[in-house]
Amino acid sequence: MALIIEKLASGALGVSHINGKTVFVENALPGEKVEIKINDEKKGDIMASSSEILERAENRIEPICPYYGICGGCDFQFVSEKDSAYLKQDI
C-alpha cells in the first residue's frame, strides 16, 4: 500500500491517514510517497515501516552513522542538521 506522508510526529515517525486511522511510518519524511509494511494495528492507529520510498523528499540524505537504524539513538539522521531543526520545531 502506498501513502504520502503528511507530517512528522515524535520519534521521526511519518504521519499519514487511511480509512479513518492514523498511520505512523518509520523512516519517512513529509511529502514522500512510500510503500508501507504494516507492523501493528490498534483501534485508531497503525504502526508501519516504509518498505520502499517511491518519491523521495528533496531534503533526504544518506545517514552518516553506520549504526543508523540499528541502535535507535539518532532518529533524524536522514536529514541535515538544519532540516532536522525545522522538522523538530513543527513537531
Side-chain angles (χ1 to χ4, degrees):
M1 172 182 316
L3 298 174
I4 295 177
I5 303 303
E6 301 163 13
K7 62 181 182 175
L8 280 187
S10 294
L13 296 172
V15 177
S16 191
H17 295 87
I18 54 171
N19 301 326
K21 292 187 177 189
T22 302
V23 184
F24 296 97
V25 184
E26 298 171 341
N27 194 29
L29 288 169
E32 289 187 325
K33 183 175 184 178
V34 296
E35 187 71 31
I36 65 164
K37 176 185 173 228
I38 295 175
N39 300 326
D40 190 24
E41 190 168 347
K42 297 188 178 167
K43 283 187 180 182
D45 297 335
I46 297 172
M47 293 300 295
S49 53
S50 59
S51 59
E52 182 180 358
I53 300 170
L54 304 172
E55 294 176 19
R56 291 172 60 100
E58 289 182 17
N59 58 346
R60 177 178 284 278
I61 63 170
E62 291 301 316
I64 58 170
C65 179
Y67 301 107
Y68 175 75
I70 298 170
C71 81
C74 303
D75 295 332
F76 285 87
Q77 282 215 357
F78 53 17
V79 294
S80 70
E81 241 180 273
K82 179 182 173 187
D83 287 333
S84 72
Y86 289 122
L87 291 168
K88 289 174 185 176
Q89 194 172 24
D90 286 343
I91 293 171

